[in-house]
Amino acid sequence: MLDSYLAQQYLDALLDTLTMVAAAASVSTLGGLLLALVLVTTGPGDLYDSPALNRVIGAIVNVVRSVPFIILLVVLLPLTRMIVGTTIGVWAAVVPLAIAGIPFFARIAEVSLREVDRGLIEAALAMGALRTNVIRHVLLPEALPGIVSGFTITVVAMIGSSAMAGAVGAGGLGDLAIRYGYQRFNNTLMFAVLIGLMTLVTLVQLTGDFAVRRLDRRR
């Protein structure tokens, strides 16, 4: 059992983790979906045919994705300080989490968008639909179950990354585990943090799976 002080620290750390992941996931979803749409619609023969732009965006996504998160966390310290005014704490962790999450989610969303039946797009264009309407009324609705599934995977990955960010003072459950569990040999607290992280991941996965099943039935 945790004493009252550690129990309060645990609740505060859990709230910090939820704040970090929610903020970073929101930014990553918007940014990643926009990048995925650019990648899908600017390919050769696609709605906004622009191979050069497609290659540049694709290269940027690949480069950012290739950097391990713990290194990205350190490399982005100057940018983090410029944006939020500090390099420690919850909001300082949101910046690298979001930047790492954008290309990650973009590639997952891109796969879902590319799986949309090409015949549906061509039929919509043949009926005189504008390209923006094709994206809004054909591409996104048809790819929605895959996009939601990708969002679930992204959030689960962010929960793990948020714990890793605790190594550099980001706050949250990872920070609590390092400061009180590892450095003070408190195995009970370490076990409680593990249970908390596993519970969060399980809840996110179950919620995401439920949402995908509901969306699939409506198609």
Side-chain angles (χ1 to χ4, degrees):
M1 292 288 292
L2 302 177
D3 59 37
S4 57
Y5 174 76
L6 281 181
Q8 185 59 51
Q9 292 292 310
Y10 187 90
L11 290 176
D12 291 343
L14 178 61
L15 183 60
D16 286 347
T17 294
L18 292 175
T19 302
M20 272 190 283
V21 173
S26 299
V27 175
S28 298
T29 301
L30 292 175
L33 187 57
L34 180 61
L35 274 182
L37 285 171
V38 172
L39 287 168
V40 169
T41 59
T42 59
D46 283 313
L47 292 174
Y48 296 95
D49 189 335
S50 180
L53 177 63
N54 187 276
R55 283 194 293 272
V56 170
I57 298 295
I60 293 172
V61 168
N62 290 340
V63 167
V64 177
R65 281 194 64 201
S66 67
V67 181
F69 178 70
I70 193 67
I71 295 176
L72 188 69
L73 193 66
V74 176
V75 169
L76 291 176
L77 286 177
L79 179 64
T80 300
R81 185 188 298 279
M82 186 174 70
I83 294 175
V84 298
T86 180
T87 57
I88 59 173
V90 172
W91 293 106
V94 170
V95 176
L97 278 173
I99 291 177
I102 287 173
F104 183 83
F105 180 67
R107 283 304 188 194
I108 297 176
E110 180 190 3
V111 171
S112 299
L113 290 166
R114 288 198 186 283
E115 287 178 348
V116 174
D117 188 349
R118 186 73 189 175
L120 292 175
I121 298 172
E122 292 174 353
L125 290 172
M127 288 187 289
L130 298 175
R131 290 178 292 186
T132 52
N133 286 334
V134 172
I135 293 173
R136 184 178 173 186
H137 297 294
V138 179
L139 263 180
L140 289 175
E142 288 296 319
L144 191 56
I147 291 173
V148 172
S149 180
F151 174 74
T152 303
I153 295 170
T154 303
V155 173
V156 168
M158 278 187 177
I159 292 172
S161 297
S162 72
M164 196 186 306
V168 292
L173 289 172
D175 178 59
L176 186 72
I178 291 172
R179 286 192 295 120
Y180 289 92
Y182 176 69
Q183 295 177 349
R184 302 185 187 185
F185 307 104
N186 190 330
N187 292 328
T188 302
L189 180 64
M190 287 290 280
F191 184 72
V193 168
L194 283 176
I195 293 296
L197 290 172
M198 286 190 290
T199 302
L200 280 180
V201 168
T202 302
L203 288 175
V204 168
Q205 191 64 59
L206 290 175
T207 304
D209 290 345
F210 175 76
V212 170
R213 284 197 298 273
R214 292 293 300 268
L215 289 169
D216 272 338
R217 288 173 188 166
R218 294 176 182 177
R219 293 173 70 186

